[in-house]
Amino acid sequence: MSTTRPYSPGDRGPESGDGGASGTPGDGGLAVPSGGRQARRLSFDDESGVVPLARDFARQALHAWGWLPAASADRRAAAEDVLLVVSELVTNACLHAEGPDELRISCNNKVLRVEVSDRGAGQPAPRTPHRAGRPGGHGMFIVQRLCLDWGVVRTPGVTGKTVWAELGAPA
């Protein structure tokens, strides 16, 4: 489902203050429980190879939160979906904005949320009509298909946006 709502139904928006942890590529971020929610943050300042860096960072978070190693095929598929969504959102920021500024991943028992901030002015949307046989243009279509919901947050007076997507936690 495509949406431009800044937050998913029932979500009151980002937590005030820091609300998470910062991490550098070398330390893998810090897990911070916050009201049953765990969060990790990765800044891309002066980094190269941001897509594999983002995937590795997300994989480390999934290990820390018990999604990996997966005990079943369904759990493995859920973790792979998260890694694919991270790759697609970061790739979109590279291709259609000035690159990503930050990746935030948070989860509770039911939902995992991925957020990628960039300085771009564009509005992400799945290409329609979707042409499965053509190369490129599949990123937001994939995100739409794999996620419970997704959207864009813009802060008035601030350049850029945050694209977020939410996936269901494995059973």
Side-chain angles (χ1 to χ4, degrees), residues 72-135:
S72 68
D74 287 343
R75 292 180 71 81
R76 188 170 30 263
E80 288 299 323
D81 287 351
V82 170
L83 297 175
L84 181 55
V85 168
V86 165
S87 295
E88 293 299 338
L89 294 181
V90 172
T91 297
N92 276 358
C94 291
L95 294 175
H96 305 293
E98 298 173 22
D101 290 331
E102 185 177 79
L103 166 65
R104 290 179 300 280
I105 304 173
S106 60
C107 76
N108 60 26
N109 291 335
K110 296 182 181 181
V111 175
L112 183 135
R113 184 175 174 110
V114 176
E115 300 178 15
V116 176
S117 298
D118 64 49
R119 289 182 220 107
Q123 180 70 22
R127 284 196 184 161
T128 51
H130 179 252
R131 301 184 197 274
R134 291 192 166 188

Side-chain angles (χ1 to χ4, degrees), residues 31-39:
V32 176
S34 175
R37 192 165 205 60
Q38 299 181 73

